[in-house]
Structure formats: C-alpha cells, structure tokens
C-alpha cells in the first residue's frame, strides 16, 4: 500500500481553506502572525447625529420618528358654524343668512348678552369627533336660480369646513327661506307716496 502524499495547497489543511485558530496555551505550537493580507473587518462607524430641538434623538437611518405629538383636538360647534357662515355669505346671490325673525331675535340677544350670534345666524351644525353636518337657512337675491344657488352654497361650505376645520362633512342642507326683492321691483314701494302731505 502506498502512503498518501500531502502537498501544501491540496489537502484539507491547505492554507486559506480553513481559518487558523490560535493554539491553546502551553501546547508549544506557535500561532501564525497576521500577514500583509487584508485587515479584518471592524464594526461600521455610526455617523454623528446632532440632537433634535425638543430633546428627541433623530434616527441615524434618516427615517422620521414614528411617534407623533400626543394630545386631543376639540373643535366647538360655534367655530364650525362661523366658517360655514362666512363661506355661505361669500357665494354671489346670497342676500343674507337666516330668516327675518331669526335675525331680529339674534340682534336682541347680542345686545343683551354681548355675544356674537349674528355671525352664525341661519347656520346650525352638529359636530362629532371627525365629522360634521351643516344646516343653512338663507335669503336669496331676486333673479338668481335658487337650486343653482343652493348647490353653490353647498359646495362652498363643504370646501371651507373640510379645508379649514379638517372635519369630514357628511351633509350640507340648504333652505331658501325668502327672496330679497330690490325696492325698484317691489310693488309695495310704488304705492307709497313720493312726497309729504299736502
């Protein structure tokens, strides 16, 4: 039987095929010294991240922190009603909001209580956590198509409440309570005497 001949580089203990481990202490074997080859990889360096104002540390990966500032937002019905009233008044063809009796009662209440209910006259809102419903009563100018006016008011109120308040508007109900007739077209104005008594 022939003896197997082992040459450097083609056996199981060939250099580079398996990592060399240091010999146990006291065995008399000499551990190999690192040669001129590549240096072992070290842990990657983390970039310096400056502190974020407010005390929270930024994520070194560059992604924003998943935590949002906590707290609860509550929006009063009066605030939503004012936004809706301003949007409705801005529509061409809306003479005023509310009915005549409602405006008179609101003016008396404002004078006595010092409140500002005339700003929201003719507007009634119901506000939930994320949704709102708006009812608007208005007086239209004579000569304006009433259904087209109601659609324009509805669109304006939807946009204003959703954009400025941030609530989802479920519905906007528009009631046209009256039509304002200019004095030139009012038949009652023609019956009045033009001058004083003779």
């Amino acid at each position: 039987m022939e003896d197997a001949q082992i040459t450097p580089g083609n056996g199981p203990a060939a250099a580079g095929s398996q990592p060399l481990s240091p010999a146990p202490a006291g065995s008399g074997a000499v551990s190999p010294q690192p040669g001129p080859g590549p240096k072992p990889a070290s842990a990657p360096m983390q970039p310096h991240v400056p502190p974020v104002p407010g005390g929270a540390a930024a994520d070194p990966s560059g992604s924003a922190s998943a935590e949002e500032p906590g707290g609860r937002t509550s929006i009063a019905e009066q605030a939503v009603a004012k936004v809706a009233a301003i949007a409705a008044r801005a529509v061409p063809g809306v003479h005023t909001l509310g009915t005549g009796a409602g405006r008179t009662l609101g003016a008396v209440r404002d004078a006595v209580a010092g409140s500002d209910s005339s700003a929201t006259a003719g507007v009634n809102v119901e506000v939930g956590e994320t949704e709102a419903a708006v009812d608007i009563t208005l007086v239209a100018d004579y000569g304006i198509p009433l259904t087209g006016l109601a659609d324009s008011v509805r669109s304006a109120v939807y946009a204003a409440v959703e954009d400025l308040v941030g609530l989802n508007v479920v519905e906007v109900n528009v009631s046209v309570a009256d039509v304002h007739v200019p004095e030139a077209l009012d038949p009652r104005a023609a019956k009045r005497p033009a001058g004083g008594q003779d």
Side-chain angles (χ1 to χ4, degrees), residues 82-91 153 156-157 160-161:
K82 281 189 179 180
V83 169
I86 292 169
R89 282 192 189 100
V91 175
V153 168
V157 171
V161 173

Side-chain angles (χ1 to χ4, degrees), residues 3-192:
D3 289 337
Q5 195 173 17
I6 299 176
T7 58
N10 79 6
S17 65
Q18 290 183 350
L20 297 174
S21 59
S27 66
V30 178
S31 63
Q33 296 295 323
K39 294 184 179 178
S42 60
M45 293 186 59
Q46 295 292 329
H48 173 70
V49 179
V52 176
D59 187 1
S61 65
S63 63
S65 175
E67 292 184 22
E68 293 291 327
R72 182 174 169 230
T73 301
S74 175
I75 300 173
E77 290 182 351
Q78 180 77 0
V80 179
K82 281 189 179 180
V83 169
I86 292 169
R89 282 192 189 100
V91 175
V94 175
H95 180 71
T96 188
L97 297 181
T99 60
R103 288 193 309 272
T104 303
L105 182 61
V108 171
R109 186 171 49 237
D110 291 348
V112 172
S115 66
D116 189 21
S117 64
S118 61
T120 58
V123 179
N124 185 26
V125 298
E126 293 179 17
V127 177
E129 287 186 15
T130 60
E131 297 178 336
V134 183
D135 295 328
I136 295 183
T137 304
L138 60 87
V139 176
D141 286 330
Y142 176 78
I144 303 294
L146 300 182
T147 55
L149 177 64
D151 289 341
S152 298
V153 168
R154 189 173 291 110
S155 297
V157 171
Y158 263 104
V161 173
E162 288 183 350
D163 292 346
L164 298 177
V165 182
L167 294 174
N168 181 30
V169 180
V170 177
E171 63 181 2
V172 176
N173 300 313
V174 179
S175 299
V176 180
D178 200 359
V179 174
H180 175 257
V181 179
E183 286 188 16
L185 299 175
D186 191 355
R188 294 177 295 175
K191 294 180 182 178
R192 293 185 193 138

